[in-house]
Amino acid sequence: MHQLLPNITGLLNDVFTGITYFMPEAYLVLLFLVVMITDLVFGKRAVAYCRAIACAGLVIVLFKDLLQFGLVLNGWHLIFNHMLLLNRSSICFKSIIDLLALMLLLYFTWDKKLKAHSKGLADLYSIAIASVFGLHLMVMAVNLLSIYLAIEMVSIASYLMVAYRTENALSTEAGLKYVLFGAASSAIMLYGISLLYGFSGSLDLQAPAMIAQLLKVNSFSASFAVVLVLIGIGFKLSFVPVHFWVPDVYQGAPTPVTAWLSSLPKIAAFALVLNILPFVMPIGKAIGFDLTIVFAVISIVTMIAGNFAAVMQNNVKRMLAYSSIGHTGFALMAVIVHNPQSLSALTYYLLVYALANIGALALASYFSNVADAEDIEGYKGLGLKYPIASVCFTIILISLTGLPISAGFTGKLFVFSAVYNIYQQDSSIWLALLMITGALTTVVSLFYYIKIPLNLFLKRSENQDIEYRKSYNLIVLASIIAFVLILLGVFPNSILKYL
């Protein structure tokens, strides 16, 4: 204890200095407390208040995110004793997460099945804000301890969100499966972290002593520890072989929660990988473990498994779940290249994918609200009854496929360009296989995405007595998303220059 006393002043100064770079997260903590207290004070009447406070608070947090760009003009900052990293990339990812989270908070009450839940949605808003705080930590984490704590915070919030509709057996089952898979992956990751700490005596990935100590350890043992840590991160990315939970959880969770899980944690996990990759790659090379080849194999297998499995699905949410796995594999291509061009391409791709995915699931909620349609065959003949929603759905699916002139096309083009530029320099067989697999699976994705417009417009409904109903909020959201996807497809530099 006496040995630590001389260092206390320096540690406290480091904490106080770090708070300057931690203001959006401080506001999120305050927002969480305010939303939770509002729920306790107003009870069942608190839903509208919690929703308004959460949305207004996220707008303020987003503004604080944007102000942080002025703090990184001269480079990056390590805060809280090298626990978190603030740089331009992390601020971009935090801003995207907050913008999408704001959109999803509005979406929660527009899903009739979720809104009808007997205990209301006030708790869900406080859980969502806590999840956003964890996502911010994931985006900035560069220490093994902060990485684990951030992932666990997001995971616990996600478990609660998936099983929120406790009266629904499918939702409860999905929550249970998610908890079991999450607990297993968390234990595996913690074991890997403990091994790395035992081998090196440090949790700081940037510490020179870590590589020096790992070189003294059997290369297989060190590689095994790194793989265990990657499994924990891969659980959030949902790449093969840690993807088994995705279809059941996405199908069983309330549709707005599915939209949340398939976009925000995935973006944060990619940001986490980008943060730690510059430190992990040298460790891998030092112990004879080439992470580039590992990620290339994972990317190829994930693209193939996700897209081919999606072709066989009839449930819309389950199909989108498998397609999200395929998109994860495609986005990993940019991670493998890991240069400034690929970073911009990945950020753009994740933004437009998340927008399109949220739009697709919002329209899945819409057709569930108005026509009780859960499966693709239930969409038969609804194109003329609900033309605006059907046209927006088609545009969004075009973007998810990656066809011109959508933002999805430009996103995939940027990723292909980044990979091809590196391929021209070293002619790596792995990069060639990645590009070939990415192109072929894009063609495969057309076969399952086209099922929805095919049933909407070209097939007649077997039940002509469907009551004509509307859900205007979801129509407005889907229309805005469809317009933005076309706009970004035509003018990609309007957003790319800021990434």
Side-chain angles (χ1 to χ4, degrees):
M1 180 65 184
H2 293 292
Q3 296 175 348
L4 296 176
L5 289 176
N7 299 322
I8 289 179
T9 302
L11 292 173
L12 287 175
N13 288 335
D14 183 66
V15 170
F16 290 131
T17 303
I19 291 174
T20 306
Y21 305 100
F22 200 65
M23 289 311 295
E25 292 69 38
Y27 274 83
L28 278 171
V29 172
L30 180 62
L31 179 60
F32 169 74
L33 294 174
V34 172
V35 173
M36 188 170 60
I37 292 171
T38 303
D39 179 25
L40 293 173
V41 171
F42 291 97
K44 289 187 177 181
R45 298 175 299 163
V47 177
Y49 299 129
C50 290
R51 183 170 184 250
I53 292 170
C55 292
L58 267 184
V59 171
I60 296 173
V61 172
L62 180 58
F63 177 70
K64 290 293 180 180
D65 287 336
L66 298 177
L67 288 179
Q68 287 192 314
F69 280 110
L71 299 175
V72 296
L73 293 176
N74 298 322
W76 43 267
H77 299 276
L78 284 165
I79 60 176
F80 301 143
N81 198 25
H82 292 196
M83 283 284 185
L84 303 175
L85 171 70
L86 183 71
N87 57 12
R88 183 178 178 82
S89 174
S90 63
I91 296 172
C92 285
F93 279 113
K94 288 196 298 182
S95 302
I96 291 171
I97 287 170
D98 292 340
L99 180 63
L100 296 175
L102 177 62
M103 190 184 304
L104 288 165
L105 289 180
L106 294 171
Y107 172 24
F108 283 165
T109 56
W110 296 343
D111 184 84
K112 289 185 178 179
K113 292 181 179 178
L114 183 58
K115 186 179 180 181
H117 186 42
S118 57
K119 67 178 180 181
L121 301 183
D123 292 338
L124 189 59
Y125 287 105
S126 57
I127 296 169
I129 296 300
S131 177
V132 173
F133 177 73
L135 293 168
H136 274 228
L137 295 183
M138 277 183 68
V139 167
M140 297 190 294
V142 288
N143 183 286
L144 288 173
L145 180 59
S146 60
I147 288 169
Y148 177 75
L149 292 176
I151 290 177
E152 281 304 289
M153 185 173 292
V154 174
S155 296
I156 291 171
S158 300
Y159 303 152
L160 296 172
M161 293 173 78
V162 169
Y164 194 79
R165 290 180 59 203
T166 51
E167 83 289 352
N168 183 276
L170 194 60
S171 179
T172 305
E173 181 186 351
L176 180 60
K177 288 180 179 178
Y178 195 23
V179 169
L180 292 175
F181 278 111
S185 67
S186 176
I188 291 170
M189 182 182 183
L190 189 59
Y191 184 48
I193 290 174
S194 67
L195 286 176
L196 287 176
Y197 180 69
F199 294 153
S200 65
S202 174
L203 292 172
D204 188 357
L205 291 172
Q206 303 164 77
M210 176 168 276
I211 295 179
Q213 293 298 322
L214 287 177
L215 285 173
K216 301 176 182 179
V217 181
N218 179 275
S219 60
F220 176 80
S221 300
S223 301
F224 180 66
V226 172
V227 168
L228 294 182
V229 175
L230 289 177
I231 287 174
I233 299 173
F235 176 75
K236 285 298 169 197
L237 284 174
S238 65
F239 57 60
V240 176
V242 285
H243 69 292
F244 294 107
W245 60 275
V246 174
D248 291 335
V249 171
Y250 282 19
Q251 183 181 358
T255 307
V257 173
T258 301
W260 184 285
L261 294 178
S262 60
S263 54
L264 303 191
K266 195 179 292 279
I267 292 173
F270 271 109
L272 173 60
V273 171
L274 290 174
N275 274 349
I276 67 174
L277 210 57
F279 311 117
V280 175
M281 291 290 274
I283 293 174
K285 290 179 180 178
I287 60 179
F289 184 65
D290 195 339
L291 285 172
T292 301
I293 296 176
V294 172
F295 276 121
V297 172
I298 290 173
S299 175
I300 291 169
V301 175
T302 301
M303 282 190 280
I304 293 172
N307 284 286
F308 278 93
V311 174
M312 299 180 285
Q313 306 306 313
N314 187 45
N315 181 274
V316 175
K317 289 169 67 177
R318 200 172 183 87
M319 182 197 77
L320 291 173
Y322 277 111
S323 78
S324 76
I325 296 171
H327 282 282
T328 295
F330 191 90
L332 280 172
M333 291 171 60
V335 173
I336 293 165
V337 175
H338 199 262
N339 60 21
Q341 182 188 0
S342 69
L343 176 59
S344 296
L346 176 63
T347 309
Y348 179 88
Y349 181 80
L350 290 175
L351 172 62
V352 297
Y353 159 72
L355 280 173
N357 197 57
I358 291 170
L361 286 163
L363 287 168
S365 282
Y366 176 83
F367 284 107
S368 177
N369 289 348
V370 300
D372 297 321
E374 299 289 343
D375 295 335
I376 295 173
E377 292 182 356
Y379 288 7
K380 287 182 179 178
L382 297 180
L384 297 179
K385 292 180 184 252
Y386 308 102
I388 298 176
S390 301
V391 170
C392 289
F393 214 156
T394 303
I395 293 171
I396 288 168
L397 292 173
I398 285 173
S399 183
L400 284 171
T401 306
L403 298 178
I405 54 173
S406 67
F409 171 76
T410 52
K412 288 194 172 185
L413 183 63
F414 291 148
V415 173
F416 273 124
S417 297
V419 176
Y420 183 69
N421 286 340
I422 301 300
Y423 173 74
Q424 285 183 310
Q425 298 172 21
D426 58 17
S427 301
S428 168
I429 184 65
W430 291 107
L431 295 182
L433 289 174
L434 281 170
M435 290 187 289
I436 292 170
T437 306
L440 291 176
T441 51
T442 296
V443 175
V444 172
S445 69
L446 184 62
F447 285 91
Y448 57 83
Y449 283 132
I450 203 172
K451 289 181 182 179
I452 292 177
L454 179 67
N455 280 275
L456 284 172
F457 294 107
L458 300 181
K459 292 192 176 182
R460 298 187 62 182
S461 174
E462 297 174 1
N463 182 9
Q464 299 294 337
D465 299 326
I466 297 176
E467 181 184 353
Y468 186 82
R469 291 174 284 175
K470 288 188 177 180
S471 188
Y472 292 104
N473 292 329
L474 290 172
I475 285 288
V476 172
L477 175 63
S479 299
I480 292 172
I481 290 175
F483 174 75
V484 170
L485 290 174
I486 295 297
L487 186 67
L488 291 179
V490 178
F491 305 106
N493 287 329
S494 60
I495 188 68
L496 192 64
K497 61 184 178 182
Y498 298 110
L499 301 178

